């Protein structure tokens, strides 16, 4: 009997000890009223919703293993963990350790929002003087470009010169893989000097697009560039008042949502003046974007009246205009000719969204006003332009237009054109820049199809003839000098 009694005690003691071990194993963690923060992994095969209001000083995330769908609502004065291995829905109000941490819920929502927005790969550098006034417009713009897979970040420029601006772009390209940037407001420009058709000095954003080291910045004007010479990124500018910039983004949003702007015919308009008409007899690949186009390329057609009537009548979404010009306007020559100034572009509210300005120095952005910026900031329709800050233009722009037809953005097509052909002729192309939203894609009305590559159609004979014309233009051109720019913008120089 004595031995039987002792054996019973041993069995009971073993049973109680085993229960205690099982209970300790199930709990796994414990929370107390002390100040503590603990993070651990949660591995679950179920959906669990847990809400709690807690006055505890303890913030603890615990391991939860469950194979069931469990809804747990907890309203207690401390953090609790609910573990279950049964297929039940439970409402629990308990002192057990359940992770219903409100801070954890908030962190999860923040992470999800970051993932849905994506990691930044595009930058908008803004003049601090206007940053707060255009912030709402940039928020909408970032929502728009996110649908394309571009995710933006704003950087307020806090440097001095163009090298500081380039350093920002280099850092962003290295850190986030930035593909391009939009520069908004009065920001510094690098200058370039060369002997083309005579000595010339010009603002050039090629310095920003080519992230290679151009050497000592010095006074801010370069006379050479690295080789090989190509773009790693694209940049575009918008320079205007805050109200005009907000208006720009409003129409940009409308085009992105609707695929068009009202009062603008979805077609192309080519206005090629007589000096250049021997080289243009087709659509310059714009028929890869638009089903219809109008080409005026004889002296009897390229009149002031025909230009104005077209762009104040039905309008045209894309305009190619090859006319002798200066920063503030262009001179349509011959019988029926006349000037079209920046003031005219604004007052006539010309109905075109995209313009290739084959207008010498028409995009010299350091001169205000200039044609390229006027089209996008002073009309109800302008969205993007491409042109030159000097005597020059985009030779073989069929490459650029075909890239747009392939569905590239305005900035990508610019980069593609330069790297494919533009870099080979700095005499013509040292001043080529783009204005407006570089991520805009032309909606057109022709189904996009990938081209097999465009073979430049410009012949050596045509180029020789055009070089002679350009030499005469350069000889008589009177443009802002680098010294004048420095005097007018001392804030951009140390």
């Amino acid at each position: 009997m004595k031995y039987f009694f002792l054996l019973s005690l041993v069995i009971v003691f073993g049973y109680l000890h085993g229960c205690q071990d099982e209970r300790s194993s199930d709990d796994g963690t414990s929370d107390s009223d002390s100040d503590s923060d603990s993070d651990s992994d949660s591995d679950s095969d179920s959906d669990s919703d847990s809400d709690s209001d807690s006055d505890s000083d303890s913030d603890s995330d615990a391991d939860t293993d469950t194979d069931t769908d469990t809804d747990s609502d907890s309203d207690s004065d401390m953090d609790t963990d609910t573990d279950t291995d049964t297929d039940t829905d439970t409402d629990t109000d308990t002192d057990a350790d359940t992770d219903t941490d409100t801070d954890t819920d908030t962190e999860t929502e923040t992470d999800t929002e970051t993932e849905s927005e994506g990691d930044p790969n595009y930058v908008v550098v803004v003049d601090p003087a206007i940053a707060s006034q255009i912030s709402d417009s940039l928020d909408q713009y970032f929502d728009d470009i996110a649908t394309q897979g571009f995710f933006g970040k704003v950087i307020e420029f806090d440097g001095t010169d163009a090298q500081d601006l380039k350093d920002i772009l280099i850092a962003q390209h290295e850190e986030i893989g930035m593909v391009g940037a939009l520069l908004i407001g009065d920001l510094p420009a690098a200058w370039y000097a060369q002997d083309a058709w005579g000595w010339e000095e010009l603002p050039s954003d090629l310095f920003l697009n080519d992230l290679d080291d151009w050497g000592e910045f010095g006074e801010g004007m370069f006379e050479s560039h690295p080789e090989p010479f190509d773009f790693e990124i694209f940049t575009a500018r918008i320079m205007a008042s805050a109200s005009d910039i907000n208006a720009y983004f409003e129409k940009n949003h409308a085009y992105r949502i609707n695929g068009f702007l009202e009062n603008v015919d979805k077609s192309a308009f080519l206005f090629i003046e007589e000096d250049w008409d021997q080289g243009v007899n087709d659509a310059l690949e714009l028929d890869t974007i638009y089903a219809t186009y109008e080409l005026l390329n004889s002296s009897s057609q390229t009149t002031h009246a025909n230009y104005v009537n077209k762009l104040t009548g039905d309008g045209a979404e894309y305009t190619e205009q090859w006319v002798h010009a200066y920063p503030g306007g262009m001179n349509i020559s011959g019988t029926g000719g006349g000037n079209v100034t920046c003031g005219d572009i604004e007052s006539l509210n010309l109905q075109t969204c995209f313009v290739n300005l084959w207008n010498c120095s028409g995009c010299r952005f350091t001169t205000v006003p200039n044609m390229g910026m006027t089209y996008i900031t002073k009309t109800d329709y302008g969205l993007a332009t491409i042109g030159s800050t000097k005597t020059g233009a985009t030779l073989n722009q069929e490459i650029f237009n075909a890239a747009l037809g392939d569905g590239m953005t305005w900035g990508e097509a610019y980069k593609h054109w330069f790297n494919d052909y533009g870099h080979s002729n700095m005499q013509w192309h040292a001043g080529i820049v783009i204005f407006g939203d570089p991520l805009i894609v032309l909606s057109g009305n022709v189904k996009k199809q990938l081209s097999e590559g465009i073979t430049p159609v410009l012949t050596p004979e045509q180029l020789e003839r055009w070089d002679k014309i350009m030499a005469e233009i350069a000889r008589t051109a009177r443009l802002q000098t680098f010294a004048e720019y420095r005097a007018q913008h001392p804030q951009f120089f140390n």
Side-chain angles (χ1 to χ4, degrees):
M1 249 344 250
K2 181 170 70 172
Y3 294 107
F4 178 78
F5 177 75
L6 291 173
L7 178 62
S8 299
L9 288 176
V10 169
I11 292 172
V12 170
F13 179 81
Y15 174 77
L16 293 175
H17 182 70
C19 290
Q20 178 64 32
D21 289 344
E22 182 178 354
R23 181 179 180 184
S24 299
S25 174
D26 286 342
D27 286 346
T29 60
S30 65
D31 293 330
S32 69
D33 290 336
S34 62
D35 292 340
S36 66
D37 287 315
S38 161
D39 292 329
S40 66
D41 296 332
S42 176
D43 182 15
S44 174
D45 295 325
S46 67
D47 296 324
S48 177
D49 296 322
S50 178
D51 298 315
S52 76
D53 296 320
S54 176
D55 295 326
S56 172
D57 291 329
S58 171
D59 191 302
S60 171
D61 294 337
D63 292 330
T64 304
D65 286 305
T66 178
D67 297 321
T68 64
D69 293 327
T70 304
D71 294 324
S72 177
D73 294 321
S74 175
D75 187 2
S76 76
D77 291 333
M78 61 185 296
D79 290 358
T80 60
D81 280 332
T82 299
D83 298 314
T84 178
D85 293 322
T86 62
D87 295 324
T88 58
D89 293 329
T90 62
D91 294 323
T92 173
D93 187 1
T94 178
D95 291 334
D97 289 326
T98 301
D99 184 9
T100 53
D101 193 286
T102 304
D103 291 338
T104 301
D105 293 341
T106 303
E107 290 171 4
T108 301
E109 292 173 2
T110 301
D111 290 344
T112 302
E113 183 177 350
T114 300
E115 290 174 2
S116 68
E117 290 180 352
D119 296 326
N121 56 6
Y122 175 71
V123 169
V124 177
V125 183
V126 184
D127 177 355
I130 59 172
S132 63
Q133 301 172 62
I134 64 171
S135 59
D136 290 345
S137 293
L138 291 180
D139 288 343
Q140 179 62 69
Y141 178 55
F142 286 169
D143 288 343
D144 289 341
I145 65 175
T147 64
Q148 300 172 258
F150 295 105
F151 305 98
K153 63 184 292 188
V154 174
I155 297 177
E156 292 188 29
F157 181 68
D158 61 356
T160 299
D161 56 32
Q163 184 64 61
D164 294 333
L165 181 55
K166 182 171 182 173
D167 289 343
I168 291 173
L169 302 180
I170 292 172
Q172 293 303 309
H173 182 66
E174 292 176 348
E175 292 172 12
I176 67 172
M178 179 194 70
V179 296
L182 176 58
L183 315 177
I184 300 181
D186 191 14
L187 298 174
W191 280 62
Y192 190 78
Q194 65 179 5
D195 189 359
W197 302 287
W199 184 255
E200 59 184 7
E201 301 175 353
L202 58 132
S204 178
D205 281 346
L206 305 190
F207 171 72
L208 301 177
N209 300 324
D210 175 19
L211 299 182
D212 292 336
D213 184 5
W214 281 43
E216 184 64 34
F217 188 70
E219 293 295 312
M221 184 166 67
F222 296 93
E223 297 183 22
S224 63
H225 57 77
E227 294 288 355
F229 188 27
D230 55 17
F231 290 174
E232 284 76 37
I233 63 168
F234 52 81
T235 58
R237 292 182 184 259
I238 301 177
M239 299 172 63
S241 66
S243 60
D244 284 342
I245 292 170
N246 287 327
Y248 171 84
F249 280 112
E250 184 176 350
K251 63 186 174 184
N252 186 62
H253 175 66
Y255 183 87
R256 286 173 166 276
I257 294 298
N258 301 319
F260 64 89
L261 291 182
E262 294 184 0
N263 303 320
V264 180
D265 187 57
K266 193 162 284 295
S267 63
F269 177 47
L270 294 88
F271 190 88
I272 316 297
E273 212 174 31
E274 57 185 306
D275 271 347
W276 321 109
D277 61 4
Q278 293 182 17
V280 181
N281 295 297
D282 59 23
L284 298 175
E285 295 295 324
L286 290 173
D287 52 355
T288 66
I289 308 170
Y290 302 102
T292 59
Y293 69 93
E294 181 178 0
L295 170 62
L296 304 182
N297 65 343
S298 68
S299 58
S300 63
Q301 295 174 316
T302 55
T303 64
H304 182 276
N306 284 347
Y307 179 85
V308 171
N309 290 341
K310 176 66 176 180
L311 297 184
T312 57
D314 295 334
E317 188 168 281
Y318 194 115
T319 298
E320 284 256 5
Q321 55 192 44
W322 297 28
V323 182
H324 295 303
Y326 54 99
M330 61 182 181
N331 302 308
I332 300 173
S333 60
T335 304
N339 287 345
V340 178
T341 67
C342 290
D344 295 330
I345 295 169
E346 179 179 2
S347 63
L348 294 170
N349 199 22
L350 296 183
Q351 296 157 220
T352 187
C353 300
F354 308 102
V355 186
N356 186 328
L357 290 89
W358 244 68
N359 306 124
C360 291
S361 67
C363 287
R364 199 173 181 95
F365 59 88
T366 55
T367 298
V368 180
N370 62 80
M371 295 177 68
M373 206 65 72
T374 300
Y375 279 107
I376 69 167
T377 64
K378 292 296 185 180
T379 73
D380 294 335
Y381 308 102
L383 297 173
T385 55
I386 182 171
S388 181
T389 64
K390 65 180 283 296
T391 301
T394 53
L395 295 175
N396 287 320
Q397 71 269 50
E398 294 93 337
I399 298 170
F400 176 75
N401 293 337
L404 295 173
D406 285 347
M408 288 189 189
T409 68
W410 194 260
E412 289 168 336
Y414 168 52
K415 176 184 172 184
H416 172 72
W417 165 83
F418 187 85
N419 288 347
D420 190 20
Y421 176 78
H423 66 95
S424 66
N425 193 327
M426 285 290 281
Q427 190 174 33
W428 279 76
H429 301 145
I432 301 299
V433 293
I434 58 173
F435 300 155
D437 175 11
L439 299 183
I440 196 80
V441 175
L442 279 62
S443 60
N445 52 13
V446 172
K447 184 178 180 180
K448 299 289 189 296
Q449 56 185 358
L450 292 178
S451 64
E452 296 180 356
I454 301 299
T455 301
V457 298
L458 182 64
T459 67
E461 293 76 20
Q462 287 171 333
L463 183 56
E464 182 180 2
R465 176 175 174 270
W466 289 355
D467 277 339
K468 292 178 180 179
I469 296 172
M470 287 300 207
E472 182 60 26
I473 295 172
R475 186 180 65 82
T476 58
R478 294 293 178 267
L479 299 171
Q480 177 194 44
T481 66
F482 176 62
E484 291 169 340
Y485 174 75
R486 281 182 60 97
Q488 294 164 5
H489 298 87
Q491 73 273 25
F492 296 149
F493 298 90
N494 291 317

